[in-house]
Amino acid sequence: MFDNEFDYPAFHDIAELIQQYENAVKSNITPQFDEQSFEALITFYQENREFKKALNVIDTAVGQYPFSGEFLLKKAEVLIEQNRLDEAMEIINYAEALDPTEVGIAFTRADILLQKGEHEQALAEVDRGLIYADNHADSCELFLLKADIYEDKQLFYEVIECLQQALNYEPENEEALQRLWFAYEITELYDSSISFHEKLIDKNPYNHLAWFNLGQAYAGKEEWEKAREAFEFAVAIKEDFEAGYCCIGDTYIMQEHYVNALNNYLEATKIGRPSRELFVKIAECYEKLKEYSKARNYLRKAISADPEFCEGFYLLGEIYKKEENWTQAINALERAVRLDRENVDYLLSLAEAYLQIDESAKAFPLLENAYQFASNNKEHLLSIAVIFFNAECEDEAYIVLREAEKRFPNQADVLFLKAALMYRDGAKNEALAVMESALMMNYEQHHIFFDVCREAEEDPEILQLVSQFCKPNLNATDK
């Protein structure tokens, strides 16, 4: 990158250098070091966020090397890290007088202007820096900064253009490639992403992040086979590419191939330190395969990685519910609710578990709380109504259902649920009328009625009504 970029210390033991410097300071002696030693000290203090010491070293270095623009730029950088932007700008202006064509000056000034929210001036400064940039690394860094400025303005099409320019200079720049996928995802320009990354791959077939981004673009288009193929190329190039294995697993999940998904997720655990999210993915695979004990084991690993992981406790409770282990389910779900008392899914799941052991006195307050938080969520309102109805609290169920009708009028799913509750309540004729209206709105959602009302699957009147709206299979072969 820029000439003022300090390298890490080239010596094995920086501790001795630090001791020499700090002993000199304590003795009120001005330390005398070569430029490399000063650079090493500054880097050490900066990385440890000991900014005051870093600035003291820089001032000593500037006193010893007054015409070194590198130390002035470093001082500006440390001041920026402390949000002392005006002071940093003064240093940059002074450094510019020493060498007006230094690319790092334009970069640092643009960074200051960006943090001050002066976007147009920052862009102009980057463009000035590009005039002086005489190598690919500097040009790439300037375009990355330009992308920062546009990203701050939420102009993602311009962000994409800048990142593509950066990659023209450094086709394997990891930051540019990672950020480019994010920008494409925001804009949903999947075809554009495919075209760009295919060209990048044509130039360098061993660019694993380009293959990864290509896979992400195909995944955005829900072309799972092509996405998986691209991800597989990425991990073939870089065998320890954890994200690649995870994404291969995700494509298998989308096609309900849980064994293959599981194998890739488990492969990812062998690389680095598995995240709680990866443990959850593995648990969900085992749950789909009905290997509940293994699912629970991986959820516990997720919780161990983050003891405040409320979703982990919720998912653990859901698995215990499938096993009808109500005591353990309640223990897990209570932990989830304690960690997030406003999460409607957690509240409803715990209420259902309490109702299974006839603890309605504990369940109903949870349902009431859920109702308060769910007023703007149709699916939650419908779930609450069903739970109340199943608990033989028909009045409360209809109150919630009327609220859903009020907030979401003329919605087929609301009407299907209303018809189901009416049917179960013995009002069959009224249920048929409501169901007919719902079928006219959206036939595809009629499963909602049968999900709640299994007994209606044998009712000839209900089946006849549904069949009237069933569209013929135009692909069927005439016999």
Side-chain angles (χ1 to χ4, degrees):
M1 190 190 154
F2 312 120
D3 291 337
N4 63 289
E5 179 82 357
F6 290 173
D7 293 327
Y8 287 100
F11 24 75
H12 299 292
D13 189 6
I14 192 173
E16 184 179 344
L17 182 64
I18 295 167
Q19 191 67 48
Q20 290 176 16
Y21 171 77
E22 295 192 350
N23 285 342
V25 171
K26 288 177 184 176
S27 302
N28 292 318
I29 299 171
T30 302
Q32 299 292 318
F33 295 113
D34 59 25
E35 290 182 74
Q36 184 186 28
S37 297
F38 276 126
E39 291 171 2
L41 286 166
I42 295 164
T43 299
F44 173 81
Y45 287 127
Q46 187 180 12
E47 288 183 346
N48 286 278
R49 302 191 67 78
E50 295 183 71
F51 297 127
K52 186 175 180 180
K53 288 184 178 181
L55 289 172
N56 287 337
V57 175
I58 293 170
D59 288 340
T60 303
V62 170
Q64 200 168 320
Y65 302 97
F67 299 107
S68 172
E70 294 180 9
F71 289 122
L72 292 173
L73 283 172
K74 198 63 177 176
K75 184 171 185 177
E77 183 183 307
V78 174
L79 290 169
I80 291 169
E81 289 188 83
Q82 297 177 283
N83 202 34
R84 295 161 64 178
L85 301 180
D86 291 335
E87 293 174 70
M89 187 66 86
E90 290 179 13
I91 297 296
I92 288 300
N93 292 339
Y94 178 67
E96 187 175 31
L98 297 176
D99 185 359
T101 64
E102 165 59 47
V103 178
I105 291 170
F107 182 94
T108 308
R109 181 182 282 128
D111 189 22
I112 295 169
L113 291 166
L114 168 59
Q115 295 195 43
K116 290 166 74 75
E118 299 175 16
H119 297 104
E120 298 308 317
Q121 297 92 319
L123 288 169
E125 196 64 25
V126 171
D127 289 339
R128 189 178 74 83
L130 286 167
I131 294 171
Y132 298 124
D134 59 2
N135 60 70
H136 284 190
D138 286 359
S139 297
C140 179
E141 288 296 325
L142 285 163
F143 274 113
L144 286 172
L145 178 56
K146 197 169 186 179
D148 283 337
I149 299 166
Y150 282 122
E151 189 171 310
D152 205 50
K153 296 179 69 177
Q154 301 286 295
L155 297 174
F156 289 102
Y157 295 104
E158 288 79 0
V159 170
I160 289 172
E161 183 179 344
C162 290
L163 293 174
Q164 288 178 341
Q165 291 275 24
L167 288 165
N168 285 336
Y169 289 103
E170 289 191 349
E172 295 188 54
N173 186 284
E174 291 194 7
E175 180 186 347
L177 284 163
Q178 290 166 355
R179 292 175 58 188
L180 183 59
W181 166 243
F182 173 77
Y184 272 127
E185 188 174 37
I186 290 289
T187 56
E188 297 185 354
L189 293 174
Y190 302 124
D191 288 327
S192 174
S193 179
I194 290 168
S195 175
F196 177 80
H197 287 100
E198 283 180 341
K199 291 175 184 175
L200 212 58
I201 290 165
D202 285 342
K203 294 178 183 177
N204 180 5
Y206 297 100
N207 188 335
H208 76 282
L209 285 176
W211 280 108
F212 182 76
N213 285 5
L214 180 63
Q216 295 281 20
Y218 278 122
K221 290 167 64 71
E222 299 185 4
E223 295 184 29
W224 307 118
E225 298 289 345
K226 291 182 178 180
R228 183 159 58 248
E229 182 180 358
F231 293 139
E232 286 172 345
F233 273 112
V235 298
I237 296 165
K238 184 176 172 59
E239 292 182 359
D240 62 347
F241 189 30
E242 180 183 346
Y245 288 107
C246 287
C247 287
I248 292 171
D250 292 344
T251 64
Y252 278 123
I253 285 287
M254 298 307 298
Q255 295 179 299
E256 300 182 359
H257 298 161
Y258 300 114
V259 173
N260 290 336
L262 179 60
N263 290 337
N264 280 278
Y265 292 147
L266 290 173
E267 193 67 34
T269 64
K270 301 174 185 177
I271 306 165
R273 185 176 180 180
S275 64
R276 70 180 195 186
E277 288 75 19
L278 179 53
F279 286 138
V280 168
K281 288 175 184 286
I282 293 170
E284 290 178 339
C285 286
Y286 278 125
E287 186 224 338
K288 293 292 186 182
L289 296 170
K290 301 190 187 303
E291 296 188 48
Y292 297 130
S293 63
K294 291 181 179 179
R296 285 189 272 105
N297 179 46
Y298 275 93
L299 285 173
R300 288 196 184 93
K301 289 185 178 184
I303 292 166
S304 178
D306 179 5
E308 303 292 303
F309 185 30
C310 48
E311 186 185 0
F313 287 108
Y314 165 69
L315 294 171
L316 185 60
E318 288 292 290
I319 289 176
Y320 276 124
K321 284 170 69 176
K322 289 186 175 183
E323 296 177 295
E324 298 186 2
N325 187 338
W326 306 111
T327 301
Q328 293 287 7
I330 287 169
N331 288 338
L333 292 167
E334 282 179 340
R335 291 285 297 275
V337 169
R338 279 200 297 271
L339 290 167
D340 187 352
R341 297 182 180 278
E342 296 184 9
N343 188 297
V344 177
D345 290 323
Y346 302 171
L347 292 167
L348 294 182
S349 186
L350 181 55
E352 286 180 313
Y354 275 131
L355 288 171
Q356 287 292 333
I357 59 171
D358 296 323
E359 289 277 6
S360 57
K362 292 182 178 179
F364 290 158
L366 293 166
L367 291 172
E368 290 169 4
N369 288 343
Y371 179 64
Q372 297 302 316
F373 298 127
S375 58
N376 293 316
N377 186 298
K378 179 173 60 175
E379 287 71 25
H380 283 152
L381 287 174
L382 299 185
S383 295
I384 294 168
V386 171
I387 295 172
F388 268 128
F389 201 89
N390 288 338
E392 298 182 356
C393 298
E394 289 85 355
D395 291 343
E396 288 82 355
Y398 282 118
I399 288 171
V400 176
L401 188 59
R402 281 196 290 272
E403 183 66 19
E405 285 188 282
K406 176 182 174 183
R407 291 183 176 274
F408 306 98
N410 301 316
Q411 298 284 309
D413 49 358
V414 177
L415 293 180
F416 278 122
L417 180 60
K418 182 178 182 179
L421 298 190
M422 286 179 164
Y423 185 91
R424 286 181 57 183
D425 208 20
K428 182 175 177 179
N429 290 334
E430 292 86 340
L432 286 166
V434 172
M435 192 169 182
E436 184 173 7
S437 298
L439 287 164
M440 286 190 287
M441 291 181 192
N442 189 336
Y443 168 82
E444 299 299 329
Q445 289 185 325
H446 74 274
H447 65 88
I448 294 170
F449 176 88
F450 292 109
D451 289 344
V452 178
C453 230
R454 294 290 183 191
E455 61 270 31
E457 292 176 349
E458 305 297 327
D459 188 315
E461 289 184 79
I462 293 290
L463 296 178
Q464 182 182 7
L465 177 61
V466 171
S467 68
Q468 291 176 13
F469 293 87
C470 179
K471 296 178 181 179
N473 185 353
L474 298 179
N475 295 322
T477 303
D478 291 334
K479 294 184 179 180

